[in-house]
Amino acid sequence: FINLTAIPEGLNQFYLENMKRIIAEGASDEFRINCFRFMSFICAAQEPLPQTMVQNIMGEDAFRRVKGKLSLLFPAGAGERINIVHKSLIDWLLRNIDNEDENN
């Protein structure tokens, strides 16, 4: 049987390469935490969040730095709301967390 919950072929590598590029070695802990916060807000929301709402929560400087780096995976859409490039991105992020939990 085909694993219907599997990430489409090629997307795993795409997400991995982009995350490595975005959160490169040597990035500050503060930047990594802000990236995690940004992704958490967007992925947990039931609908795309307005950029101004996320900016107000994170602070203008942190939002601007993180949004610039994550815009490929979390683009601004209609009405200046932050979208997710594909639902499989959330699955990929959660799968990596689940795998880390199993390995620890």
Side-chain angles (χ1 to χ4, degrees), residues 3 5-12 15 88-89 91-93 95:
N3 183 355
T5 61
I7 305 264
E9 191 172 322
L11 282 181
N12 184 52
Y15 295 145
S88 64
L89 174 59
D91 297 337
W92 183 82
L93 290 167
R95 189 196 72 204

Side-chain angles (χ1 to χ4, degrees), residues 1-53:
F1 288 92
I2 298 173
N3 183 355
L4 296 178
T5 61
I7 305 264
E9 191 172 322
L11 282 181
N12 184 52
Q13 191 63 29
F14 173 77
Y15 295 145
L16 182 62
E17 287 175 10
N18 276 284
M19 286 297 170
K20 284 182 178 178
R21 178 184 56 81
I22 293 164
I23 307 172
E25 264 187 61
S28 71
D29 287 343
E30 179 184 3
F31 179 75
R32 290 172 186 259
I33 290 167
N34 284 330
C35 285
F36 178 77
R37 289 177 62 216
F38 179 92
M39 290 186 285
S40 296
F41 295 145
I42 304 308
C43 293
Q46 292 183 347
E47 61 184 34
L49 297 175
Q51 290 189 68
T52 53
M53 178 187 289

Side-chain angles (χ1 to χ4, degrees), residues 34 37-38 51-68:
N34 284 330
R37 289 177 62 216
F38 179 92
Q51 290 189 68
T52 53
M53 178 187 289
V54 179
Q55 182 177 342
N56 288 338
I57 294 168
M58 295 185 67
E60 187 174 341
D61 291 338
F63 174 80
R64 190 174 55 247
R65 280 184 263 130
V66 169
K67 177 66 175 105

